[in-house]
Amino acid sequence: MGAAALLSAAVLTACSGTSGLVSTEQVADRQSTDDPQSGGIIEYGHLQEPKCVFGGWIQENFTARQILDSLVSQDDEGEIVPWLATDWEVSEDQLVWTLDLREDVSFTDGTPVNGQAVAHNFDYWLDGGNGTAAAHLGGFYEEATAVDEHTVEIQLSAPFSPFLSTLSQSYFGIQSPTALETRSDEENCRAPIGSGPFTVQAWESGQYLEFARNEDYNSAPANAKHQGPAYVEGIRWSFIPDNTSRYGSLLSEESDVIGEVPAVNIAEVKERFDFEQYITPGRPVVINLNTEKGVFADQQVRQALSFATDREANIESAFLGTVPFEPSGYLSQSTPGYDVDAATEYPFDLHRANELLDEAGWTERAEDGTRIKDGERLEVLFTYGLNTIVTPDGNTAIQNFQEQARAAGFDIQLRPLTPSENSSGAFSGPDAYDAQVGYWTSPHAGILNINYRPGTEEAPNGANTTFLADQGVFSTIQQALQAPTSEEVTEHFSQAQYELSELAPAIGLYTQTNTIAVSEELSGVWLEESQGGPVFHDAYFVTEESGTDESAADESVADESITEEEG
């Protein structure tokens, strides 16, 4: 609420109802200056509410970024830069990573950030504290040891080329071991203790999360725009699932920033507000086909559906040209190692789709055009989490896909899942669906290991939603993860994409994106590079007086950053 952020503390208290987040600094009363000014509370409108402030879901990754520091960050060139870790090296056999830590950082409960705290977090993640962190490091992590007060060693069982890129995600935010050991899981879920720029002040379920500024913050990553505490006093992170209401809150100045800008509003947003779009690396939004049971156990049927629809035109129509079509079912085009030739092996070709279905024995047709084989209709069940995994715009794309696939003889039954159904696990096994729509973010192509590691009785893999159990593909992915050079990593990941394309366990739809629209009264908001989460540590309100010289303020921030880097 940009305007409200300029008002007095008393007015803000009245606006916030039972909220405890109160602005005590009156930005508008300050004299005009070219420097970023301190004060105000950012009103942020977000689509979804997380289950916990930190965790393995992308929504939890976004909130965790506000309060937890990580060991490393990723800059806009894709390079790994220092954060809590100031330096690092890996042994010649690539099995031991040694990280040097900052010596002047404490968690907000007073516990020092040291080698023991970092080692504790690694064990916590792998022992069930964060399923996504465990999915990334599982099969590679052996142990973490504090060598001394400010040095930690991570022992791996095999080389893992994307180790540092993996740690740049906020799934790997470092928490106070004291808090993890002495507080309940519920307490840590709702208000984890980190060393980041904000702390959790309140969580009103179904309405908002409030973050208050950490006045002692001194550990921003090397790619931050400034060091020291955040400029703003806090963030009110409101949950506004309805697209019209969320965008309306920006128009009415109730929100200073909104996330997940509706496609229908993006053209207007680009004219009236600051707009930023992040193309998320990792697995894009795809249709995962059940390769274990049902009609998609037949490779030719999977390939036929891959050819059967004009997906590019579909995505252009559903998102009004605002979200890129993604032909690959395996990696998003922003993922390092993406192979565009492998990604485009299934263009729209209805003739080829019909040939494949004929060869697979689906030669008869019912009166409604659905193909029949041995008296069985080519009827398939698609499930997807609506308003969790799939946005309303994405729902339109899935409905378009359903309609187009009729021409090839598929009868697709859509089953949108409520948020509670989607998280219940009831629709997750091979008996639950023929196809499931999903995505999985990751800053590197190692996501293929998470999505296509064959599950076993001893080590089930819930992230393998196609249930593909191909040892050849798995072996190629392992070669990529353990390759000693970046060239070999790329070569093996390219091979893996071709092998997967031939097996056709998934069909690409569109890139998972994160967008924000920012009021002109707020400056310095940016999307971090590993996952696209909004960063508010560098944000500041532009007063009416200083707003006439916003460019000078931006230059001041840039100059400050340069000075600190040189120092």
Side-chain angles (χ1 to χ4, degrees):
M1 185 157 48
L6 308 181
L7 301 178
S8 69
V11 173
L12 270 173
T13 303
C15 287
S16 59
T18 58
S19 165
L21 195 61
V22 176
S23 173
T24 59
E25 299 175 18
Q26 299 179 43
V27 181
D29 290 346
R30 295 169 177 241
Q31 293 186 347
S32 177
T33 172
D34 291 340
D35 294 328
Q37 298 192 46
S38 179
I41 294 167
I42 295 175
E43 296 284 352
Y44 173 56
H46 193 74
L47 176 68
Q48 299 188 61
E49 182 173 10
K51 298 173 187 173
C52 285
V53 175
F54 75 97
W57 184 25
I58 186 66
Q59 303 300 325
E60 296 161 337
N61 184 83
F62 291 168
T63 48
R65 179 63 176 75
Q66 315 309 319
I67 58 170
L68 304 181
D69 288 337
S70 294
L71 292 168
V72 294
S73 184
Q74 188 167 306
D75 68 14
D76 55 10
E77 300 293 327
E79 298 297 322
I80 299 300
V81 299
W83 196 345
L84 290 176
T86 58
D87 199 6
W88 47 83
E89 63 179 15
V90 63
S91 61
E92 190 172 345
D93 61 6
Q94 308 285 308
L95 295 180
V96 181
W97 285 87
T98 303
L99 286 78
D100 298 329
L101 305 175
R102 288 184 59 145
E103 300 181 4
D104 56 348
V105 183
S106 295
F107 298 102
T108 54
D109 64 357
T111 303
V113 176
N114 57 22
Q116 200 163 22
V118 172
H120 185 98
N121 273 263
F122 271 87
D123 288 338
Y124 170 74
W125 299 326
L126 273 293
D127 288 343
N130 189 314
T132 295
H136 274 279
L137 295 180
F140 294 91
Y141 174 76
E142 284 208 336
E143 64 176 356
T145 306
V147 177
D148 58 37
E149 182 69 8
H150 301 295
T151 309
V152 63
E153 276 189 359
I154 314 301
Q155 176 76 49
L156 304 179
S157 59
F160 183 58
S161 56
F163 179 71
L164 292 176
S165 177
T166 295
L167 298 185
S168 70
Q169 304 169 94
S170 291
Y171 301 123
F172 296 86
I174 304 297
Q175 297 185 55
S176 163
T178 305
L180 291 174
E181 288 181 328
T182 61
R183 302 198 311 166
S184 68
D185 290 344
E186 179 67 11
E187 288 174 309
N188 287 317
C189 164
R190 295 185 68 84
I193 303 297
S195 59
F198 297 96
T199 61
V200 177
Q201 175 146 323
W203 187 347
E204 190 69 29
S205 296
Q207 297 185 47
Y208 57 77
L209 255 168
E210 290 181 336
F211 300 99
R213 179 170 60 197
N214 174 5
E215 302 291 350
D216 299 322
Y217 188 58
N218 68 341
S219 50
N223 59 322
K225 297 179 180 178
H226 85 288
Q227 296 294 319
Y231 296 122
V232 298
E233 295 168 272
I235 311 162
R236 186 174 293 109
W237 189 292
S238 297
F239 312 121
I240 312 177
D242 180 71
N243 277 354
T244 302
S245 299
R246 193 168 62 260
Y247 184 55
S249 73
L250 183 66
L251 294 174
S252 65
E253 300 184 354
E254 294 173 4
S255 292
D256 303 299
V257 194
I258 64 166
E260 302 199 57
V261 181
V264 70
N265 301 120
I266 286 181
E268 181 183 14
V269 162
K270 288 180 176 177
E271 293 183 357
R272 299 184 57 177
F273 304 98
D274 289 334
F275 174 74
E276 192 167 349
Q277 182 178 45
Y278 176 84
I279 307 300
T280 309
R283 183 173 69 178
V285 179
V286 306
I287 301 170
N288 295 297
L289 305 176
N290 182 349
T291 65
E292 183 175 320
K293 291 187 175 180
V295 298
F296 294 128
D298 187 329
Q299 182 175 331
Q300 286 185 307
V301 179
R302 300 196 297 269
Q303 292 175 329
L305 186 61
S306 303
F307 280 120
T309 72
D310 188 347
R311 289 173 284 144
E312 185 168 10
N314 173 8
I315 300 307
E316 173 74 17
S317 170
F319 290 94
L320 306 175
T322 63
V323 170
F325 164 56
E326 179 47 76
S328 171
Y330 313 103
L331 292 179
S332 163
Q333 55 202 260
S334 61
T335 313
Y338 176 84
D339 192 309
V340 65
D341 292 329
T344 52
E345 288 200 319
Y346 291 93
F348 174 42
D349 189 340
L350 183 58
H351 176 72
R352 182 60 183 143
N354 282 321
E355 281 185 339
L356 286 162
L357 289 172
D358 288 342
E359 292 169 11
W362 295 90
T363 53
E364 300 178 49
R365 293 249 189 181
E367 289 186 0
D368 65 356
T370 303
R371 286 180 178 264
I372 296 175
K373 176 182 178 182
D374 300 330
E376 179 187 357
R377 289 169 57 87
L378 188 52
E379 196 172 275
V380 292
L381 175 66
F382 277 32
T383 64
Y384 55 100
L386 183 59
N387 292 328
T388 50
I389 304 299
V390 175
T391 63
D393 298 323
N395 191 33
T396 299
I398 293 170
Q399 291 171 340
N400 291 345
F401 186 94
Q402 173 197 34
E403 191 60 33
Q404 289 185 13
R406 292 185 193 280
F410 286 94
D411 182 3
I412 296 174
Q413 305 294 315
L414 301 182
R415 177 66 165 86
L417 306 179
T418 65
S420 59
E421 286 177 328
N422 192 53
S423 61
S424 68
F427 293 86
S428 59
D431 294 317
Y433 59 81
D434 296 303
Q436 183 190 71
V437 179
Y439 68 88
W440 193 302
T441 65
S442 167
H444 53 75
I447 190 64
L448 296 178
N449 182 53
I450 294 177
N451 293 153
Y452 292 102
R453 176 180 65 78
T456 64
E457 191 169 334
E458 298 75 23
N461 182 9
N464 184 348
T465 48
T466 66
F467 313 111
L468 185 73
D470 189 282
Q471 290 299 328
V473 171
F474 180 62
S475 176
T476 303
I477 295 169
Q478 296 307 303
Q479 290 175 36
L481 292 173
Q482 299 180 34
T485 68
S486 59
E487 291 79 10
E488 290 174 273
V489 169
T490 300
E491 179 182 344
H492 290 301
F493 274 134
S494 174
Q495 181 183 342
Q497 290 168 75
Y498 278 105
E499 291 174 355
L500 284 166
S501 180
E502 176 63 21
L503 294 169
I507 301 172
L509 289 178
Y510 55 92
T511 59
Q512 172 64 17
T513 64
N514 190 36
T515 56
I516 55 171
V518 186
S519 159
E520 63 180 6
E521 294 176 344
L522 188 67
S523 184
V525 182
W526 52 284
L527 300 180
E528 61 87 23
E529 286 297 323
S530 72
Q531 298 282 276
V535 179
F536 295 113
H537 165 248
D538 295 308
Y540 57 93
F541 284 100
V542 180
T543 67
E544 186 174 347
E545 292 83 355
S546 64
T548 58
D549 194 17
E550 186 177 347
S551 59
D554 288 340
E555 283 181 12
S556 173
V557 177
D559 290 342
E560 181 180 345
S561 175
I562 291 169
T563 301
E564 288 170 352
E565 287 176 4
E566 289 175 345

